[in-house]
Amino acid sequence: MAEDIVLGASVQLTGPVANTGRYYRDAYQFTIDKINEAGGIKVGDKQYKLALKLYDNQSDVNLSVRQYTQLVSQDKVNLLLGPFASNFALADSAVSEKYQIPMVQGGGASDQIFSRKFKYIFGTLAPASNYFGSTVSMMKELDPKPKSVALLYADDAFDVSVAEGTRPLLKDAGFTIALDERYTSNASDFNSLLSQIKNANVDVVLVAGHETEILNFVRQAKSLSVAPKFYSFTVGVPSEDFRKALDKDANYAFGMTAWLPSAKLKDKWFGDAETFAKEYKAKFGYDPDYHAASGAADVEALAQALENAGTLDPKAVRDAIAKLNFDSLYGTIAFGENGQIDLAQTVIQIQDDKLVAVYDAKGFVEKPKYPMPAWNAR
């Protein structure tokens, strides 16, 4: 009888960010089931199945830290998967470091997580500081070229990292930062910021925030008739829920993704990313986005590292994770010196209610719809 290797995680299944938290729960379980259906994994000369021990942190960071402590000290799980959101990954990775149990997480991208010289935390999201990198590259090539930019960001670890990385990118590209404003996470009222944007008459608005904030921002922009030439958001645009919630009002919004379900992304367990996306949708009833793909890649990284290490010893598995270089449905999994992956973001836009890839590392993929028309001209 195959024994189980238990992967432990605490994820937001209730509370304000449960909408994104479910991607991780679903992707973890889906990938574990897939690996088990194929016979599990071989570690040394023994065959194992994977199992998931999952808690709901209720979108509470302190509860999350307690649950990770329980996972390693009481539940004695073998290895850790991550929560969603940088402020959670920042706090929870202190537990994996203290107990020297590797954590692979695809939910936190803040540079801060990886700047502490920790040895046991690995991340499959690209650095937050470069989330707008491909967007700024594209902005330089737009016609007419925009001049002034408003940068808005929530006051959590991820969004602050995004803003810190975006400022120099904008300055080096010759854009004027006309507005640089931090707002409170979970803010619902953007009227005063939108009035400032309107008064400053900026060409571009870049917002680093959470999906509910972005929804409020777009709805209020419409009600105040604020329509810059271009707006882009760190979250929301890749998600089916976002497009459903806004319907036609989602059109023209730019966003970014480190992953699109392409058949070119070959994978040992799913075949390719397109197959993964189809099977995921059939099982859960909604399309996976890059959160789900990075969550699936986290499980695959642990499985691959266990096979490569040939032992369950957490230190040996940690060293095997650091040396990984394999093709997954999410892309090539190979961690940098600091434990983070660097994947280029593809700029995406909602055009005629569909998600379209418009710009990637090689340049324009499709023509962007730009400038954005006034709300009453749509």
Short mmCIF file of all heavy atoms in Angstrom, two decimals, residues 115-163:
data_model
loop_
_atom_site.label_atom_id
_atom_site.label_comp_id
_atom_site.label_asym_id
_atom_site.label_seq_id
_atom_site.Cartn_x
_atom_site.Cartn_y
_atom_site.Cartn_z
N SER A 115 13.89 38.95 -0.10
CA SER A 115 15.08 39.77 0.14
C SER A 115 15.67 39.51 1.53
O SER A 115 16.59 40.18 1.96
CB SER A 115 14.73 41.25 0.00
OG SER A 115 13.80 41.62 1.00
N ARG A 116 15.13 38.50 2.23
CA ARG A 116 15.55 38.27 3.63
C ARG A 116 16.58 37.15 3.77
O ARG A 116 16.88 36.72 4.87
CB ARG A 116 14.31 37.95 4.47
CG ARG A 116 13.29 39.07 4.48
CD ARG A 116 11.97 38.62 5.09
NE ARG A 116 11.35 37.54 4.31
CZ ARG A 116 10.29 36.86 4.71
NH1 ARG A 116 9.74 37.11 5.87
NH2 ARG A 116 9.80 35.90 3.95
N LYS A 117 17.08 36.66 2.63
CA LYS A 117 18.09 35.57 2.65
C LYS A 117 17.54 34.29 3.28
O LYS A 117 18.29 33.49 3.81
CB LYS A 117 19.38 36.00 3.38
CG LYS A 117 20.00 37.31 2.89
CD LYS A 117 20.89 37.07 1.69
CE LYS A 117 21.76 38.26 1.37
NZ LYS A 117 21.05 39.34 0.65
N PHE A 118 16.21 34.12 3.24
CA PHE A 118 15.62 32.88 3.75
C PHE A 118 15.99 31.75 2.79
O PHE A 118 16.10 31.96 1.60
CB PHE A 118 14.09 33.00 3.83
CG PHE A 118 13.59 33.72 5.06
CD1 PHE A 118 14.43 34.49 5.84
CD2 PHE A 118 12.25 33.63 5.43
CE1 PHE A 118 13.96 35.16 6.97
CE2 PHE A 118 11.76 34.28 6.55
CZ PHE A 118 12.61 35.04 7.32
N LYS A 119 16.13 30.55 3.34
CA LYS A 119 16.56 29.41 2.53
C LYS A 119 15.40 28.47 2.15
O LYS A 119 15.56 27.60 1.31
CB LYS A 119 17.59 28.58 3.32
CG LYS A 119 18.94 29.28 3.47
CD LYS A 119 19.81 29.03 2.24
CE LYS A 119 21.11 29.77 2.26
NZ LYS A 119 21.02 31.14 1.72
N TYR A 120 14.25 28.62 2.82
CA TYR A 120 13.19 27.61 2.67
C TYR A 120 11.94 28.10 1.95
O TYR A 120 10.97 27.36 1.83
CB TYR A 120 12.83 27.03 4.05
CG TYR A 120 13.88 26.06 4.53
CD1 TYR A 120 15.05 26.52 5.18
CD2 TYR A 120 13.77 24.70 4.29
CE1 TYR A 120 16.04 25.65 5.58
CE2 TYR A 120 14.76 23.80 4.69
CZ TYR A 120 15.89 24.28 5.33
OH TYR A 120 16.88 23.41 5.72
N ILE A 121 11.96 29.32 1.43
CA ILE A 121 10.80 29.85 0.71
C ILE A 121 11.12 29.98 -0.78
O ILE A 121 12.18 30.51 -1.14
CB ILE A 121 10.33 31.19 1.32
CG1 ILE A 121 9.14 31.79 0.53
CG2 ILE A 121 11.45 32.22 1.37
CD1 ILE A 121 7.85 31.11 0.78
N PHE A 122 10.22 29.47 -1.61
CA PHE A 122 10.36 29.56 -3.06
C PHE A 122 9.07 30.09 -3.65
O PHE A 122 7.99 29.77 -3.14
CB PHE A 122 10.67 28.17 -3.65
CG PHE A 122 11.99 27.60 -3.17
CD1 PHE A 122 12.04 26.85 -2.00
CD2 PHE A 122 13.16 27.86 -3.87
CE1 PHE A 122 13.26 26.34 -1.54
CE2 PHE A 122 14.37 27.36 -3.42
CZ PHE A 122 14.43 26.61 -2.25
N GLY A 123 9.18 30.89 -4.71
CA GLY A 123 7.98 31.50 -5.27
C GLY A 123 7.89 31.37 -6.78
O GLY A 123 8.88 31.55 -7.49
N THR A 124 6.67 31.07 -7.27
CA THR A 124 6.48 30.90 -8.71
C THR A 124 5.81 32.11 -9.37
O THR A 124 5.42 32.04 -10.52
CB THR A 124 5.67 29.63 -9.02
OG1 THR A 124 4.49 29.61 -8.20
CG2 THR A 124 6.48 28.37 -8.75
N LEU A 125 5.64 33.22 -8.63
CA LEU A 125 5.17 34.44 -9.27
C LEU A 125 6.37 35.34 -9.56
O LEU A 125 7.31 35.39 -8.77
CB LEU A 125 4.18 35.20 -8.37
CG LEU A 125 2.80 34.58 -8.15
CD1 LEU A 125 1.94 35.50 -7.29
CD2 LEU A 125 2.08 34.29 -9.46
N ALA A 126 6.30 36.05 -10.68
CA ALA A 126 7.38 36.98 -11.04
C ALA A 126 7.45 38.10 -10.00
O ALA A 126 6.47 38.38 -9.33
CB ALA A 126 7.10 37.55 -12.42
N PRO A 127 8.62 38.76 -9.87
CA PRO A 127 8.77 39.82 -8.87
C PRO A 127 7.76 40.96 -9.06
O PRO A 127 7.56 41.45 -10.18
CB PRO A 127 10.19 40.34 -9.09
CG PRO A 127 10.90 39.25 -9.82
CD PRO A 127 9.87 38.53 -10.62
N ALA A 128 7.12 41.35 -7.95
CA ALA A 128 6.12 42.43 -7.98
C ALA A 128 6.69 43.70 -8.60
O ALA A 128 6.01 44.41 -9.33
CB ALA A 128 5.63 42.72 -6.56
N SER A 129 7.97 43.97 -8.32
CA SER A 129 8.59 45.21 -8.79
C SER A 129 8.59 45.32 -10.31
O SER A 129 8.69 46.42 -10.85
CB SER A 129 10.02 45.32 -8.26
OG SER A 129 10.76 44.19 -8.67
N ASN A 130 8.43 44.18 -11.00
CA ASN A 130 8.46 44.23 -12.46
C ASN A 130 7.10 43.89 -13.09
O ASN A 130 7.02 43.62 -14.27
CB ASN A 130 9.55 43.28 -13.00
CG ASN A 130 9.94 43.64 -14.44
OD1 ASN A 130 9.86 44.79 -14.84
ND2 ASN A 130 10.29 42.64 -15.21
N TYR A 131 6.03 43.90 -12.30
CA TYR A 131 4.71 43.55 -12.85
C TYR A 131 4.30 44.46 -13.99
O TYR A 131 3.68 44.02 -14.95
CB TYR A 131 3.64 43.59 -11.74
CG TYR A 131 3.27 42.21 -11.24
CD1 TYR A 131 4.27 41.35 -10.78
CD2 TYR A 131 1.97 41.75 -11.21
CE1 TYR A 131 3.95 40.08 -10.32
CE2 TYR A 131 1.64 40.49 -10.76
CZ TYR A 131 2.63 39.65 -10.31
OH TYR A 131 2.31 38.39 -9.85
N PHE A 132 4.63 45.75 -13.90
CA PHE A 132 4.26 46.69 -14.96
C PHE A 132 5.36 46.85 -16.01
O PHE A 132 5.26 47.69 -16.90
CB PHE A 132 3.91 48.07 -14.38
CG PHE A 132 2.49 48.19 -13.89
CD1 PHE A 132 2.23 48.50 -12.56
CD2 PHE A 132 1.41 48.02 -14.75
CE1 PHE A 132 0.92 48.63 -12.09
CE2 PHE A 132 0.10 48.14 -14.30
CZ PHE A 132 -0.16 48.45 -12.96
N GLY A 133 6.43 46.02 -15.93
CA GLY A 133 7.56 46.15 -16.85
C GLY A 133 7.16 46.08 -18.32
O GLY A 133 7.49 46.97 -19.12
N SER A 134 6.40 45.03 -18.68
CA SER A 134 6.01 44.87 -20.09
C SER A 134 5.01 45.95 -20.50
O SER A 134 4.98 46.39 -21.65
CB SER A 134 5.44 43.47 -20.32
OG SER A 134 4.48 43.15 -19.34
N THR A 135 4.17 46.41 -19.54
CA THR A 135 3.19 47.46 -19.82
C THR A 135 3.90 48.77 -20.18
O THR A 135 3.54 49.45 -21.14
CB THR A 135 2.27 47.68 -18.60
OG1 THR A 135 1.67 46.43 -18.25
CG2 THR A 135 1.19 48.70 -18.87
N VAL A 136 4.94 49.11 -19.38
CA VAL A 136 5.69 50.35 -19.63
C VAL A 136 6.41 50.25 -20.98
O VAL A 136 6.45 51.21 -21.75
CB VAL A 136 6.67 50.65 -18.47
CG1 VAL A 136 7.57 51.85 -18.79
CG2 VAL A 136 5.89 50.91 -17.18
N SER A 137 6.97 49.07 -21.29
CA SER A 137 7.61 48.87 -22.60
C SER A 137 6.61 49.12 -23.73
O SER A 137 6.94 49.76 -24.73
CB SER A 137 8.16 47.44 -22.74
OG SER A 137 9.16 47.22 -21.79
N MET A 138 5.41 48.61 -23.57
CA MET A 138 4.38 48.79 -24.59
C MET A 138 3.96 50.26 -24.70
O MET A 138 3.76 50.78 -25.81
CB MET A 138 3.16 47.93 -24.30
CG MET A 138 2.10 48.04 -25.39
SD MET A 138 0.63 47.04 -25.06
CE MET A 138 -0.26 48.12 -23.97
N MET A 139 3.82 50.93 -23.56
CA MET A 139 3.41 52.34 -23.56
C MET A 139 4.34 53.21 -24.41
O MET A 139 3.92 54.14 -25.08
CB MET A 139 3.36 52.88 -22.13
CG MET A 139 2.10 52.48 -21.36
SD MET A 139 2.29 52.59 -19.54
CE MET A 139 2.88 54.26 -19.31
N LYS A 140 5.63 52.86 -24.41
CA LYS A 140 6.61 53.63 -25.20
C LYS A 140 6.35 53.51 -26.70
O LYS A 140 6.75 54.36 -27.48
CB LYS A 140 8.05 53.14 -24.92
CG LYS A 140 8.53 53.47 -23.51
CD LYS A 140 10.02 53.25 -23.37
CE LYS A 140 10.41 51.80 -23.33
NZ LYS A 140 11.79 51.57 -22.88
N GLU A 141 5.66 52.43 -27.09
CA GLU A 141 5.44 52.18 -28.52
C GLU A 141 4.03 52.54 -28.99
O GLU A 141 3.69 52.35 -30.15
CB GLU A 141 5.72 50.69 -28.83
CG GLU A 141 7.17 50.31 -28.56
CD GLU A 141 7.47 48.87 -28.95
OE1 GLU A 141 7.02 48.45 -30.03
OE2 GLU A 141 8.15 48.18 -28.17
N LEU A 142 3.21 53.07 -28.09
CA LEU A 142 1.85 53.44 -28.47
C LEU A 142 1.84 54.72 -29.29
O LEU A 142 2.72 55.57 -29.15
CB LEU A 142 0.98 53.64 -27.21
CG LEU A 142 0.65 52.39 -26.39
CD1 LEU A 142 -0.06 52.79 -25.11
CD2 LEU A 142 -0.21 51.40 -27.18
N ASP A 143 0.82 54.84 -30.15
CA ASP A 143 0.69 56.04 -30.97
C ASP A 143 -0.74 56.56 -30.83
O ASP A 143 -1.67 55.84 -31.16
CB ASP A 143 1.00 55.67 -32.43
CG ASP A 143 1.00 56.89 -33.34
OD1 ASP A 143 1.20 58.00 -32.81
OD2 ASP A 143 0.78 56.72 -34.56
N PRO A 144 -0.99 57.78 -30.32
CA PRO A 144 0.03 58.73 -29.85
C PRO A 144 0.65 58.27 -28.53
O PRO A 144 -0.04 57.68 -27.70
CB PRO A 144 -0.81 60.01 -29.64
CG PRO A 144 -2.20 59.51 -29.36
CD PRO A 144 -2.37 58.27 -30.15
N LYS A 145 1.94 58.56 -28.35
CA LYS A 145 2.63 58.14 -27.13
C LYS A 145 2.09 58.93 -25.93
O LYS A 145 2.04 60.16 -25.98
CB LYS A 145 4.13 58.37 -27.27
CG LYS A 145 4.91 57.81 -26.09
CD LYS A 145 6.41 58.02 -26.20
CE LYS A 145 7.08 57.71 -24.87
NZ LYS A 145 8.50 57.97 -24.86
N PRO A 146 1.64 58.22 -24.88
CA PRO A 146 1.16 58.94 -23.70
C PRO A 146 2.31 59.68 -23.01
O PRO A 146 3.48 59.32 -23.19
CB PRO A 146 0.62 57.82 -22.81
CG PRO A 146 1.27 56.57 -23.28
CD PRO A 146 1.61 56.76 -24.72
N LYS A 147 1.96 60.72 -22.24
CA LYS A 147 3.01 61.50 -21.56
C LYS A 147 2.93 61.38 -20.04
O LYS A 147 3.92 61.14 -19.38
CB LYS A 147 2.91 62.97 -21.97
CG LYS A 147 3.22 63.22 -23.46
CD LYS A 147 3.16 64.71 -23.78
CE LYS A 147 3.53 64.99 -25.24
NZ LYS A 147 2.51 64.49 -26.19
N SER A 148 1.72 61.59 -19.50
CA SER A 148 1.60 61.65 -18.03
C SER A 148 0.89 60.42 -17.47
O SER A 148 0.00 59.85 -18.10
CB SER A 148 0.84 62.91 -17.63
OG SER A 148 -0.43 62.89 -18.26
N VAL A 149 1.31 60.03 -16.28
CA VAL A 149 0.84 58.79 -15.66
C VAL A 149 0.39 59.05 -14.22
O VAL A 149 1.04 59.80 -13.49
CB VAL A 149 1.97 57.73 -15.64
CG1 VAL A 149 1.49 56.42 -15.01
CG2 VAL A 149 2.48 57.46 -17.06
N ALA A 150 -0.71 58.40 -13.83
CA ALA A 150 -1.12 58.36 -12.42
C ALA A 150 -0.83 56.94 -11.92
O ALA A 150 -1.23 55.97 -12.56
CB ALA A 150 -2.59 58.68 -12.27
N LEU A 151 -0.11 56.85 -10.81
CA LEU A 151 0.21 55.54 -10.21
C LEU A 151 -0.53 55.44 -8.88
O LEU A 151 -0.30 56.24 -7.97
CB LEU A 151 1.73 55.45 -9.99
CG LEU A 151 2.27 54.18 -9.34
CD1 LEU A 151 1.99 52.94 -10.18
CD2 LEU A 151 3.78 54.31 -9.09
N LEU A 152 -1.44 54.49 -8.78
CA LEU A 152 -2.21 54.28 -7.55
C LEU A 152 -1.91 52.88 -7.03
O LEU A 152 -1.80 51.94 -7.81
CB LEU A 152 -3.72 54.38 -7.81
CG LEU A 152 -4.26 55.55 -8.62
CD1 LEU A 152 -5.78 55.46 -8.73
CD2 LEU A 152 -3.87 56.87 -7.99
N TYR A 153 -1.81 52.76 -5.71
CA TYR A 153 -1.50 51.43 -5.17
C TYR A 153 -2.02 51.27 -3.75
O TYR A 153 -2.06 52.21 -2.97
CB TYR A 153 0.02 51.17 -5.22
CG TYR A 153 0.86 52.19 -4.46
CD1 TYR A 153 1.36 51.89 -3.19
CD2 TYR A 153 1.13 53.45 -5.00
CE1 TYR A 153 2.12 52.81 -2.49
CE2 TYR A 153 1.90 54.37 -4.31
CZ TYR A 153 2.38 54.04 -3.04
OH TYR A 153 3.11 54.97 -2.33
N ALA A 154 -2.44 50.06 -3.45
CA ALA A 154 -2.92 49.72 -2.10
C ALA A 154 -1.72 49.62 -1.15
O ALA A 154 -0.58 49.44 -1.58
CB ALA A 154 -3.68 48.40 -2.13
N ASP A 155 -2.00 49.72 0.15
CA ASP A 155 -0.90 49.81 1.12
C ASP A 155 -0.45 48.47 1.69
O ASP A 155 -0.06 48.37 2.84
CB ASP A 155 -1.29 50.76 2.26
CG ASP A 155 -2.53 50.30 3.01
OD1 ASP A 155 -3.09 49.24 2.64
OD2 ASP A 155 -2.95 50.98 3.95
N ASP A 156 -0.51 47.40 0.89
CA ASP A 156 -0.01 46.09 1.37
C ASP A 156 1.33 45.78 0.71
O ASP A 156 1.74 46.47 -0.23
CB ASP A 156 -1.02 44.99 1.04
CG ASP A 156 -1.26 44.88 -0.44
OD1 ASP A 156 -2.08 45.65 -0.98
OD2 ASP A 156 -0.58 44.06 -1.08
N ALA A 157 1.99 44.73 1.17
CA ALA A 157 3.37 44.41 0.74
C ALA A 157 3.51 44.28 -0.78
O ALA A 157 4.44 44.82 -1.37
CB ALA A 157 3.84 43.12 1.42
N PHE A 158 2.57 43.59 -1.40
CA PHE A 158 2.66 43.37 -2.84
C PHE A 158 2.54 44.68 -3.61
O PHE A 158 3.37 45.00 -4.46
CB PHE A 158 1.57 42.39 -3.31
CG PHE A 158 1.45 42.30 -4.81
CD1 PHE A 158 2.39 41.62 -5.56
CD2 PHE A 158 0.41 42.94 -5.48
CE1 PHE A 158 2.30 41.55 -6.94
CE2 PHE A 158 0.30 42.88 -6.86
CZ PHE A 158 1.25 42.18 -7.59
N ASP A 159 1.49 45.44 -3.32
CA ASP A 159 1.22 46.64 -4.11
C ASP A 159 2.26 47.74 -3.89
O ASP A 159 2.59 48.48 -4.81
CB ASP A 159 -0.21 47.12 -3.84
CG ASP A 159 -1.22 46.08 -4.32
OD1 ASP A 159 -1.15 45.71 -5.50
OD2 ASP A 159 -2.04 45.61 -3.51
N VAL A 160 2.80 47.79 -2.67
CA VAL A 160 3.90 48.74 -2.40
C VAL A 160 5.13 48.35 -3.22
O VAL A 160 5.79 49.20 -3.82
CB VAL A 160 4.21 48.80 -0.88
CG1 VAL A 160 5.48 49.58 -0.61
CG2 VAL A 160 3.05 49.46 -0.12
N SER A 161 5.42 47.04 -3.30
CA SER A 161 6.54 46.56 -4.14
C SER A 161 6.34 46.90 -5.60
O SER A 161 7.27 47.29 -6.30
CB SER A 161 6.68 45.02 -4.05
OG SER A 161 7.39 44.63 -2.92
N VAL A 162 5.09 46.75 -6.07
CA VAL A 162 4.77 47.08 -7.47
C VAL A 162 5.09 48.56 -7.72
O VAL A 162 5.77 48.91 -8.68
CB VAL A 162 3.28 46.80 -7.81
CG1 VAL A 162 2.93 47.37 -9.18
CG2 VAL A 162 3.00 45.31 -7.79
N ALA A 163 4.60 49.42 -6.82
CA ALA A 163 4.80 50.87 -6.99
C ALA A 163 6.29 51.22 -6.95
O ALA A 163 6.77 52.00 -7.79
CB ALA A 163 4.03 51.63 -5.92
#
